[in-house]
Amino acid sequence: MTGQSTPQSITAGLANGEAALPLADVPPADFRRSFRGLRPLKSWRYVGVFGEQLMACAAHVRVGTARQSFWALWTPASRMRERTRLVPRAGEVTLAPGLLRIQTRSVQLDLRLSEEAGIQARCPHGAHEVWTRKQAGVTASGTLSLAGDPPQPIEARTVIDDTAGYHARVTEWRWSAGVGLDPQGVPLAWNLVSGVNDPPHAGSERAVWIAGHPHEVGPVAFAADLSSIRGEGGSELHFQPLAERSRRENVLLVSSDYRAPFGEFSGRLPGNIELAHGLGVMEHHRARW
């Protein structure tokens, strides 16, 4: 990592140094009510899995009193498989502490996650506030079976996103998360965002992990087509999509329009950190909720 400038280190709690929450207490107690005034609670737990054998994601989502689940899975030898359920089916997606499991007729994924303290941020959004906890570079191990084939061992790294908040009526963000290595083989991971939880100074959720240690970075700018991310100091991260999950929904007073491609990354992370090879996700999401 010769010649790079190391970003500001942040503690394994809130960016301002407050203690991390045990997973059993996520989200904090003041982000559990279904409504705050007229604003419904939006909360989710998302796990993204990034490895040479497999890229996948799964989530449980809540908007007010409504629930939703989704999963998507891609391997170099198979097409993208995915499913979204507006009424979650019991047992199809399990996201317990330290566990990701997808169970369908054609997909059986069972991964153990070595979860960590992560970083947290609380940021204003509209008239209210959003809380988030991010973990990146977390190791995952387990098995995958597709279409009844014998289970195959899986080793990968993951990004875990726990979020809860009373977002503004219309919310739009661009987000990227992933894992990789620098030219010397040092493990890297990142969580970069524009549009939510991104104050220009300290206290954002923007972070780069170097050998497992998180560092807050400055504001970033995403290309409209999600082909790149520009950061401070002239850094630029390039993205090559391999498979894409996208969906549009318009149900009564709620709508959602997003793209979330998996792919490969190269270039430099914010802080001018060289990324020899990376795997992860890009996302553009516009919601009315």
Side-chain angles (χ1 to χ4, degrees):
M1 295 185 289
T2 303
Q4 72 186 35
S5 58
T6 303
Q8 179 184 359
S9 179
I10 49 180
T11 60
L14 287 174
N16 64 11
E18 294 183 26
L21 290 171
L23 191 57
D25 295 329
V26 170
D30 52 335
F31 288 92
R32 298 181 190 177
R33 293 169 50 191
S34 296
F35 288 85
R36 182 176 289 177
L38 297 177
R39 301 305 305 135
L41 174 68
K42 276 77 68 173
S43 67
W44 56 84
R45 179 168 173 84
Y46 167 100
V47 178
V49 181
F50 308 117
E52 301 296 340
Q53 304 163 283
L54 166 73
M55 286 199 278
C57 67
H60 288 158
V61 181
R62 173 182 175 184
V63 179
T65 57
R67 301 291 194 276
Q68 182 182 124
S69 69
F70 66 77
W71 60 267
L73 184 150
W74 179 85
T75 71
S78 70
R79 59 179 173 82
M80 179 76 122
R81 302 165 189 257
E82 63 175 303
R83 183 167 296 157
T84 298
R85 293 196 185 277
L86 301 182
V87 179
R89 181 174 292 179
E92 182 172 10
V93 177
T94 302
L95 292 172
L99 175 65
L100 164 59
R101 182 177 291 143
I102 301 171
Q103 296 288 318
T104 74
R105 289 183 180 180
S106 60
V107 175
Q108 291 83 46
L109 177 64
D110 195 333
L111 296 177
R112 302 291 166 170
L113 313 174
S114 299
E115 296 205 36
E116 302 170 347
I119 62 166
Q120 299 175 65
R122 295 176 71 130
C123 301
H125 198 261
H128 295 289
E129 192 179 32
V130 176
W131 169 90
T132 191
R133 172 178 180 161
K134 298 293 195 296
Q135 304 173 59
V138 172
T139 58
S141 60
T143 58
L144 170 67
S145 175
L146 298 177
D149 291 341
Q152 300 297 313
I154 295 292
E155 298 289 336
R157 290 196 289 157
T158 69
V159 172
I160 303 174
D161 174 0
D162 292 295
T163 293
Y166 302 89
H167 301 67
R169 172 68 171 144
V170 175
T171 305
E172 183 173 13
W173 68 76
R174 286 177 173 84
W175 173 74
S176 177
V179 302
L181 299 172
D182 83 350
Q184 286 72 47
V186 175
L188 302 173
W190 67 89
N191 179 86
L192 303 173
V193 70
S194 175
V196 66
N197 300 332
D198 67 338
H201 304 296
S204 76
E205 68 168 66
R206 299 181 306 269
V208 172
W209 283 253
I210 304 172
H213 299 288
H215 303 266
E216 186 170 13
V217 298
V220 295
F222 287 73
D225 61 359
L226 301 182
S227 62
S228 65
I229 308 171
R230 291 184 179 272
E232 58 189 351
S235 68
E236 186 166 5
L237 196 60
H238 303 285
F239 176 66
Q240 180 63 45
L242 296 172
E244 181 171 312
R245 175 176 175 266
S246 61
R247 187 177 177 89
R248 289 185 177 183
E249 296 174 340
N250 193 346
V251 182
L252 298 176
L253 298 177
V254 176
S255 66
S256 176
D257 185 353
Y258 66 80
R259 295 179 55 218
F262 296 141
E264 298 176 329
F265 291 81
S266 62
R268 291 184 176 272
L269 290 159
N272 206 26
I273 301 162
E274 185 173 359
L275 178 67
H277 178 63
L279 297 170
V281 65
M282 285 278 215
E283 181 178 274
H284 177 210
H285 192 172
R286 189 177 192 276
R288 178 171 52 85
W289 46 13

